[in-house]
C-alpha cells in the first residue's frame, strides 16, 4: 500500500499567469490554474484563495533525474570537506531548520536549496543495496522534495554468478527481489565489471566492453545487455540507468556508442553523457565527439540521457567508479577516500575544482553545451550537472542562462581555454537559444516522463500540485534562482521569495513482482560471503515513512528514426 503523505489542503486559484506546460501543449498561454487537496483540478470554489501571477511565468516543479544527495558516500564526502561547512552555515527560520551548505549541503539545506530554485523532486542516482537504510533515513530527513534512488547492481557478485551459469530466469527474479528489498526506484550500472578487476589486480580497470571480467567468463557487454533486457521485462518505471565504462578517458565515445547499441531498441538511460563523449587517444588530451553522441541519441528514440554539465568552480568527484576516483586523485593531488562495498560495488571521493583556463575542464564544459544545443528532442537530453561531480545543483540557473542567452554564452566562451574551444563546434556555429518551453521540458516535463512519473512534470488535471511561479526577468539566471512562489502538493512553501512553510515530501519507489523462491538461492550466498545475515538485509517498510509506489510500464522496443 502507498502512503502518500499528502495533507488535505484549502483550494487555491493561480490567476493570470503565463503557463508553460509542454506535456499538455501549453506554451506561454495566460490562464488560471486550480488546486485542491494536493492536485491540479478543473475548478475550485469562487471563494478559494487567489495568487495573482500577472506577468509571471508558471511551470511545474523542477525534477532532477540524476544527483547525489544522500547515503554513505555523501556523508563521507561531507566529512572529507569540513571547511565547506564552516564557510556556509544555513540558519534556521520560523519555518525551516538549520543546516550547512557547501558543495554537498546537509540534508535540511539540500531540500531547502532545491525548493528555493523551484525544484520539487530529486532522484539520488547511486546507492549500494547494503546502504539503502542509511539513504532512506537521510531522504526522509531531506525536506519538501519528493525523492527516490537507483540501486547499484551492475557489479553485484551474486548476480554475476547467475549470469555466468546461464540462470537467466533466476537473474530476473533476483533483480526484482533486490529492488523490493532495498525500496529502490530502478537499477543503476556503474562501469560494469570494473570492481572485480580493481579488487583483484591493483588499480586495474575495464577498457573494452568485450574484455573478460575476472573469474566470471563474462564481458561488460554481457552484463549491460542482461540488465537492459531485465529492467525492461520487469517494467520498472525508469529503464536501466547506466554510467558507461571508461568515464573521463580520451576516446570513450566509442564505448558509449557500443553501450547504446547494446540496447537494441529497448529503453535505456545514459547518465551524465558529457563525461562519455570524448575523442582522442587514451593517455592523451581528449577532443570532442559530442556531435556524434548527440546525433546517435537524436536518431534513437529509445534512449534518454542527462548531460552532466561541468560548471566552473568547486565540485566533488563522488562515484561508484573506484578506478576513476583513483585516477582523479592522481591528477588533482587532492585528498581522497576509496572504499569497497562487499559483493556489491565500490566508491571513490575526491574534492575537485573546474578551472576555465585548464584545457580539459574547458573542453568538458564545452561538450556539455554542444550536447544541449545539438539536441533535436529536448524530451530526451535532460538537464543535470551530475551533482556534485560536474558542479552543484545550485548552478542550474546559470546553466539555464547559458542555454537561453546566446550573447551571454559567447561572452563566457571567450573567457575559457580557446585551444579547447577550437576542438568543438561551440560558438557562432551553434546560435540556438532555448525557449522557456524547452527549459520546462529539460528540467521538468522530460525528466518526469523519463522517470515514468505520470503525475509530475505537467499541470494538467490530476497532476501533483508541484508548481513554481517565477517573475519574468531577461536575466534568466536571476529569474530561475529566485522563484516568487513555490507550491508542493498544493501547499504554499515559498511566497514572495520567503519560506512560509515546511513539508516532508515522499519516497518514490517500485515494487516489481518476483517469485519468493528466489530467496532460497540468495540466502546461502549471504551466509557464506556477507558480513550481514540474510534475514537482516532487506529493508523494512517502516523505513519508507511517507511513500508512493510508482507503477511500472512495459514499453516495446523501438526502431531508430
Amino acid at each position: 500500500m502507498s502512503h502518500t503523505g499528502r495533507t488535505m489542503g484549502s483550494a487555491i486559484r493561480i490567476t493570470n499567469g503565463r503557463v508553460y506546460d509542454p506535456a499538455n501543449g501549453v506554451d506561454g498561454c495566460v490562464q488560471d490554474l486550480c488546486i485542491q487537496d494536493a492536485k491540479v483540478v478543473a475548478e475550485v470554489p469562487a471563494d478559494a484563495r487567489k495568487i495573482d501571477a500577472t506577468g509571471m511565468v508558471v511551470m511545474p516543479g523542477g525534477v532532477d533525474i540524476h544527483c547525489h544527495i544522500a547515503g554513505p558516500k555523501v556523508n563521507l564526502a561531507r566529512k572529507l570537506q569540513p571547511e565547506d561547512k564552516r564557510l556556509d552555515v544555513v540558519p534556521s527560520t520560523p519555518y525551516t531548520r538549520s543546516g550547512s551548505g557547501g558543495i554537498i549541503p546537509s540534508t535540511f539545506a539540500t531540500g531547502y536549496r532545491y525548493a528555493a530554485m523551484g525544484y520539487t523532486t530529486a532522484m539520488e542516482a547511486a546507492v549500494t543495496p547494503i546502504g539503502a537504510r542509511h539513504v532512506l533515513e537521510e531522504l526522509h530527513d531531506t525536506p519538501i522534495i519528493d525523492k527516490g534512488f537507483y540501486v547499484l547492481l551492475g557489479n553485484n557478485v551474486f548476480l554475476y554468478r547467475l549470469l555466468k551459469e546461464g540462470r537467466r530466469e533466476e537473474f530476473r527474479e533476483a533483480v526484482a527481489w533486490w529492488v523490493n528489498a532495498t525500496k529502490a526506484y530502478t537499477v543503476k550500472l556503474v562501469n560494469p565489471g570494473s570492481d572485480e578487476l580493481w579488487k583483484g589486480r591493483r588499480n586495474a580497470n575495464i577498457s573494452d566492453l568485450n574484455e573478460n571480467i575476472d573469474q566470471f567468463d563474462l564481458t561488460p557487454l554481457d552484463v549491460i545487455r542482461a540488465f537492459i533486457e531485465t529492467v525492461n521485462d520487469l517494467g520498472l518505471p525508469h529503464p536501466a540507468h547506466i554510467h558507461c565504462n571508461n568515464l573521463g578517458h580520451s576516446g570513450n565515445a566509442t564505448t558509449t556508442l557500443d553501450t547504446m547499441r547494446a540496447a537494441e531498441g529497448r529503453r535505456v538511460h545514459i547518465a551524465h553523457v558529457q563525461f562519455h563523449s570524448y575523442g582522442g587517444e587514451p593517455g592523451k588530451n581528449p577532443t570532442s565527439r559530442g556531435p556524434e553522441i548527440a546525433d546517435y541519441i537524436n536518431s534513437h528514440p529509445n534512449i534518454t540521457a542527462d548531460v552532466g554539465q561541468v560548471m566552473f568552480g568547486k565540485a566533488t568527484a563522488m562515484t561508484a567508479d573506484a578506478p576513476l576516483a583513483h585516477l582523479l586523485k592522481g591528477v588533482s593531488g587532492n585528498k581522497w577516500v576509496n572504499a569497497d562495498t562487499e559483493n556489491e560495488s565500490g566508491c571513490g571521493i575526491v574534492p575537485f575544482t573546474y578551472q576555465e583556463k585548464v584545457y580539459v575542464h574547458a573542453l568538458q564544459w564545452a561538450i556539455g553545451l554542444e550536447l544541449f544545443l545539438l539536441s533535436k528532442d529536448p524530451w530526451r537530453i535532460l538537464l543535470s550537472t551530475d551533482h556534485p561531480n560536474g558542479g552543484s545543483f545550485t548552478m542550474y540557473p546559470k546553466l539555464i542562462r547559458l542555454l537561453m542567452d546566446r550573447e551571454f554564452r559567447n561572452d563566457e566562451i571567450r573567457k575559457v581555454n580557446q585551444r579547447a574551444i577550437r576542438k568543438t563546434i561551440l560558438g557562432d556555429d551553434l546560435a540556438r537559444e532555448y525557449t522557456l518551453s524547452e527549459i520546462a521540458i529539460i528540467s521538468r516535463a522530460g525528466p518526469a516522463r523519463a522517470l515514468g512519473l505520470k503525475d509530475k512534470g505537467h499541470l494538467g488535471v490530476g497532476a501533483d500540485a508541484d508548481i513554481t511561479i517565477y517573475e519574468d526577468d531577461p536575466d534568466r539566471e536571476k529569474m530561475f534562482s529566485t522563484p516568487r512562489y513555490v507550491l508542493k502538493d498544493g501547499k504554499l512553501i515559498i511566497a514572495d521569495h520567503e519560506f512560509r512553510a515546511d513539508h516532508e515530501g515522499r519516497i518514490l519507489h517500485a515494487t516489481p513482482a518476483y517469485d519468493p523462491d528466489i530467496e532460497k538461492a540468495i540466502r546461502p550466498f549471504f551466509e557464506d560471503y556477507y558480513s550481514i545475515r540474510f534475514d537482516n538485509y532487506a529493508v523494512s517498510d517502516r523505513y519508507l515513512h511517507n511513500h508512493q509506489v510508482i507503477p511500472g510500464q512495459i514499453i516495446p522496443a523501438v526502431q531508430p528514426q
Side-chain angles (χ1 to χ4, degrees):
M1 179 178 179
S2 298
H3 302 275
T4 65
R6 293 177 171 128
T7 302
M8 303 296 278
S10 58
I12 298 175
R13 181 187 294 272
I14 301 171
T15 64
N16 301 318
R18 201 164 81 248
V19 176
Y20 289 86
D21 181 15
N24 290 299
V26 180
D27 185 7
C29 297
V30 176
Q31 61 184 56
D32 290 2
L33 279 178
C34 296
I35 300 163
Q36 178 79 60
D37 298 333
K39 289 288 187 178
V40 177
V41 296
E43 192 52 76
V44 290
D47 62 351
R49 178 179 180 177
K50 289 183 173 60
I51 296 176
D52 184 1
T54 301
M56 301 182 196
V57 170
V58 182
M59 291 185 176
V63 179
D64 196 343
I65 197 170
H66 185 107
C67 59
H68 301 278
I69 57 174
K73 70 180 187 303
V74 176
N75 259 2
L76 276 174
R78 290 174 180 137
K79 293 175 182 177
L80 193 61
Q81 302 170 86
E83 64 277 7
D84 261 17
K85 308 305 173 188
R86 291 192 291 269
L87 297 173
D88 189 2
V89 176
V90 181
S92 62
T93 75
Y95 305 102
T96 62
R97 294 169 287 183
S98 63
S100 57
I103 188 65
I104 307 164
S106 64
T107 53
F108 300 158
T110 295
Y112 298 139
R113 288 185 173 179
Y114 265 116
M117 298 190 307
Y119 272 71
T120 52
T121 304
M123 304 301 285
E124 160 60 54
V127 172
T128 57
I130 208 167
R133 280 182 181 80
H134 184 162
V135 169
L136 288 166
E137 289 294 279
E138 283 204 354
L139 291 180
H140 174 57
D141 219 28
T142 303
I144 301 175
I145 60 174
D146 292 340
K147 48 262 169 175
F149 70 86
Y150 314 144
V151 64
L152 287 159
L153 296 182
N155 284 295
N156 185 290
V157 172
F158 179 75
L159 294 174
Y160 275 18
R161 287 189 170 192
L162 294 181
L163 288 178
K164 176 183 178 180
E165 296 167 12
R167 298 157 65 185
R168 290 298 292 269
E169 187 58 35
E170 288 175 282
F171 176 84
R172 180 187 185 279
E173 299 299 326
V175 169
W177 178 85
W178 247 290
V179 172
N180 279 277
T182 58
K183 316 303 183 189
Y185 195 84
T186 196
V187 171
K188 175 73 176 291
L189 281 66
V190 173
N191 197 7
S194 65
D195 273 18
E196 289 309 302
L197 271 72
W198 170 257
K199 290 183 286 188
R201 290 189 266 131
R202 183 178 179 182
N203 299 341
N205 194 10
I206 289 284
S207 59
D208 189 287
L209 293 190
N210 292 303
E211 186 175 341
N212 191 61
I213 302 170
D214 284 5
Q215 306 176 43
F216 291 103
D217 195 28
L218 294 169
T219 69
L221 203 55
D222 295 330
V223 174
I224 291 164
R225 285 172 173 157
F227 274 105
I228 290 175
E229 179 180 351
T230 296
V231 172
N232 276 278
D233 286 350
L234 291 173
L236 295 182
H238 183 56
H241 195 100
I242 301 179
H243 162 137
C244 299
N245 299 78
N246 288 324
L247 183 147
H249 292 275
S250 297
N252 66 8
T254 299
T255 305
T256 306
L257 290 165
D258 288 343
T259 301
M260 293 191 289
R261 291 187 189 104
E264 298 178 331
R266 297 182 181 92
R267 295 185 308 153
V268 68
H269 183 90
I270 304 299
H272 38 66
V273 69
Q274 174 278 132
F275 288 109
H276 305 277
S277 300
Y278 306 156
E281 299 179 23
K284 297 182 179 179
N285 273 342
T287 59
S288 172
R289 287 177 66 184
E292 186 177 355
I293 297 295
D295 182 64
Y296 191 91
I297 295 172
N298 285 335
S299 61
H300 290 77
N302 61 303
I303 299 170
T304 55
D306 62 273
V307 169
Q309 176 69 41
V310 159
M311 300 297 287
F312 297 117
K314 191 169 176 59
T316 299
M318 180 190 300
T319 178
D321 190 337
L324 172 67
H326 179 263
L327 174 68
L328 291 175
K329 174 255 184 185
V331 170
S332 68
N334 288 340
K335 48 191 173 180
W336 169 54
V337 171
N338 218 70
D340 174 61
T341 304
E342 51 184 310
N343 301 299
E344 296 182 347
S345 186
C347 174
I349 300 162
V350 182
F352 206 78
T353 300
Y354 292 100
Q355 302 175 57
E356 294 175 338
K357 299 304 182 182
V358 174
Y359 172 89
V360 173
H361 302 177
L363 185 79
Q364 293 174 308
W365 176 83
I367 291 173
L369 295 177
E370 280 185 315
L371 292 164
F372 277 119
L373 297 172
L374 292 169
S375 169
K376 294 180 180 178
D377 183 359
W379 290 90
R380 294 191 296 107
I381 295 185
L382 308 170
L383 187 146
S384 80
T385 59
D386 184 17
H387 165 84
N389 288 278
S392 171
F393 66 81
T394 60
M395 298 294 283
Y396 288 172
K398 184 171 184 178
L399 175 53
I400 289 171
R401 186 180 179 189
L402 285 167
L403 297 177
M404 295 192 71
D405 186 338
R406 177 188 175 193
E407 183 177 349
F408 173 72
R409 182 169 69 239
N410 286 340
D411 287 343
E412 295 296 295
I413 289 171
R414 285 188 283 270
K415 296 178 182 177
V416 309
N417 185 299
Q418 293 303 294
R419 187 164 62 92
I421 295 298
R422 288 193 292 271
K423 297 294 184 179
T424 74
I425 62 170
L426 196 61
D428 290 337
D429 290 337
L430 287 178
R432 176 180 179 180
E433 292 182 320
Y434 269 61
T435 65
L436 282 169
S437 184
E438 288 173 324
I439 293 300
I441 293 172
I442 65 172
S443 63
R444 290 155 163 80
R449 178 180 290 184
L451 289 165
L453 292 171
K454 299 184 185 304
D455 294 340
K456 295 190 183 296
H458 72 98
L459 299 173
V461 171
D464 289 348
D466 298 351
I467 301 170
T468 306
I469 305 173
Y470 297 101
E471 293 172 322
D472 201 357
D473 193 309
D475 182 340
R476 299 309 192 187
E477 182 178 357
K478 177 182 176 184
M479 171 180 166
F480 282 95
S481 296
T482 55
R484 178 76 173 269
Y485 300 97
V486 176
L487 294 95
K488 178 73 188 78
D489 291 327
K491 186 177 183 180
L492 191 59
I493 302 298
I494 292 175
D496 296 325
H497 309 291
E498 298 288 342
F499 280 92
R500 305 296 186 189
D502 206 347
H503 189 69
E504 184 174 327
R506 299 184 298 284
I507 300 294
L508 309 175
H509 64 111
T511 55
Y514 68 94
D515 183 348
D517 281 348
I518 191 60
E519 296 183 2
K520 297 175 182 177
I522 300 173
R523 179 184 291 273
F525 181 83
F526 268 77
E527 301 306 330
D528 288 342
Y529 295 105
Y530 266 86
S531 63
I532 183 172
R533 296 184 65 85
F534 179 78
D535 289 332
N536 296 328
Y537 184 80
V539 179
S540 165
D541 285 352
R542 67 186 177 87
Y543 283 89
L544 286 169
H545 305 284
N546 293 325
H547 68 103
Q548 181 180 358
V549 174
I550 304 301
Q553 50 183 339
I554 303 296
I555 298 177
V558 296
Q559 297 303 313
Q561 295 174 339

